[in-house]
Amino acid sequence: MTQPLVEIQNLRVEFPSSSGGYNQAVRGVSMSLGREKLGIVGESGSGKSVTGRALMRLLPEAARVKADKLVFDGVNVLSASERTMRGLRGGRIGLILQDPKYSLNPVMTIGAQIAEAWRAHNKGGKKEALEAALNLLEQVRIRDPRRVLDSYPHEVSGGMGQRVMIAMMLAPNPDMLIADEPTSALDASVQAEILRLIDDLVSARGMGLMLISHDLPLVARFCDRVAVMYAGQVMETLPAQDLHHAEHAYTRGLLDCMPHLSEKRARLPVLNRDPKWLEPRS
Ligand SMILES: Nc1ncnc2c1ncn2[C@@H]1O[C@H](COP(=O)(O)OP(=O)(O)OP(=O)(O)O)[C@@H](O)[C@H]1O
Ligand SMILES: [Mg+2]
């Protein structure tokens, strides 16, 4: 087998707590990712985002990060220089977040921003960069790319803003995307379109994808494999198509807590947490 893009072994992340000690946010997570689609699910606070951010070394300085292995394509993220990390972030690894508003510059046209992202990682002048930006807007299936090129972020809809964000992340031609709840702020029909777009781009470009979401049915449909997180640990990793038949009680609990359209229930069940799930896993 060729070497995976990402190897994480026994990742631990702690944040200083108000009482002077440390809170453990990630407690011994191991996972690997090839050029495939890996979903990370789990309830709020289970450590999904912190795991993704640790890989990009995007955590606040106060965070303590330890791991037996935290490697992106041969680069040791624990010891790499800041310069190497800048090359990874927004270069070889693209990060798509829930709300593009926080990542786009409000006072710069969309075209100028994508062109800038392109020039940071490609050789070429302003004209080539704008052409590349136009081409990227076409790739993310924006209908009127020339108009959008000259628009400011507040002039486009949420779904279009997310497409712009994706175009910007694609500009450096990354090997991997981390999408952290990329569609949670969008309505259902736009959500499906954006996911289809990400899916097509990931397959066509042979990238690896880490899709962080608390939407289990969506991840089951969309990903190849799924890691299920609880309280900073991976409870189980399984093929996405098996998610609906998962046996782990926590995964079952999460599935049972998802509302179904086809089914009328007076109320959703509450997840009963087994204290054993908190014990360190081998
Ligand atoms: N900057 C921070 N400072 C202190 N604690 C943090 C920080 N970021 C995250 N945490 C804590 O780490 C734990 C894991 O957080 P994380 O954001 O990874 O959860 P998550 O699984 O992404 O949840 P959600 O589904 O709500 O996004 C939480 O207890 C959270 O409070
Ligand atoms: Mg999160």
Side-chain angles (χ1 to χ4, degrees):
M1 211 182 95
T2 53
Q3 233 192 334
L5 263 183
V6 173
E7 275 186 281
I8 301 176
Q9 261 171 37
N10 197 20
L11 173 69
R12 303 181 165 271
V13 181
E14 304 179 324
F15 293 101
S17 71
S18 50
S19 59
Y22 276 85
N23 287 331
Q24 300 182 312
V26 173
R27 305 184 300 139
V29 159
S30 299
M31 56 178 74
S32 67
L33 175 85
R35 295 187 182 265
E36 60 174 328
K37 291 173 283 177
L38 173 70
I40 302 185
V41 299
E43 61 190 332
S44 190
S46 55
K48 305 181 298 291
S49 297
V50 169
T51 300
R53 289 184 157 258
L55 180 64
M56 298 182 81
R57 222 164 75 192
L58 274 178
L59 292 168
E61 230 159 73
R64 277 205 251 177
V65 182
K66 287 184 202 149
D68 294 343
K69 222 173 194 185
L70 187 61
V71 174
F72 174 79
D73 201 18
V75 176
N76 181 352
V77 170
L78 292 173
S79 62
S81 68
E82 198 40 46
R83 200 177 151 192
T84 304
M85 288 313 297
R86 273 200 301 272
L88 290 192
R89 292 184 210 117
R92 300 194 57 201
I93 309 178
L95 178 64
I96 302 170
L97 297 170
Q98 180 171 343
D99 197 334
K101 273 198 224 79
Y102 300 109
S103 313
L104 297 173
N105 184 340
V107 296
M108 218 171 148
T109 63
I110 285 167
Q113 290 183 62
I114 301 177
E116 193 180 89
W118 185 85
R119 281 185 85 181
H121 300 272
N122 297 275
K123 287 196 183 71
K126 276 200 175 140
K127 194 164 161 271
E128 282 110 317
L130 272 179
E131 263 163 34
L134 189 66
N135 182 276
L136 283 161
L137 288 178
E138 278 163 5
Q139 281 189 50
V140 296
R141 296 177 204 149
I142 282 181
R143 251 174 246 123
D144 191 357
R146 274 183 201 283
R147 186 181 60 81
V148 172
L149 208 60
D150 294 325
S151 305
Y152 287 88
H154 72 269
E155 295 174 315
V156 301
S157 67
M160 216 192 280
Q162 202 57 305
R163 286 173 199 268
V164 168
M165 200 56 233
I166 296 169
M168 222 154 90
M169 288 302 149
L170 291 176
N173 212 2
D175 297 290
M176 176 184 178
L177 288 181
I178 299 178
D180 194 343
E181 306 278 1
T183 60
S184 309
L186 306 171
D187 55 33
S189 64
V190 184
Q191 218 174 38
E193 278 172 30
I194 297 283
L195 279 173
R196 212 172 303 130
L197 172 67
I198 295 177
D199 194 8
D200 291 348
L201 291 166
V202 165
S203 311
R205 291 165 169 251
M207 293 186 282
L209 173 74
M210 194 181 265
L211 176 67
I212 298 172
S213 172
H214 48 241
D215 189 334
L216 276 73
L218 179 145
V219 165
R221 254 186 287 134
F222 187 72
C223 290
D224 304 312
R225 285 190 304 133
V226 187
V228 184
M229 287 191 68
Y230 175 69
Q233 301 192 93
V234 175
M235 291 285 113
E236 61 175 337
T237 304
L238 67 177
Q241 68 211 37
D242 297 343
L243 188 60
H244 288 291
H245 324 285
E247 280 169 17
H248 194 288
Y250 173 63
T251 314
R252 287 252 52 93
L254 285 179
L255 286 164
D256 289 343
C257 291
M258 305 285 313
H260 299 273
L261 282 178
S262 54
E263 189 187 344
K264 275 217 176 76
R265 281 194 280 194
R267 57 199 318 187
L268 287 169
V270 174
L271 185 63
N272 287 315
R273 293 168 174 78
D274 186 334
K276 280 202 214 97
W277 298 345
L278 290 172
E279 289 166 11
R281 308 177 68 79
S282 53

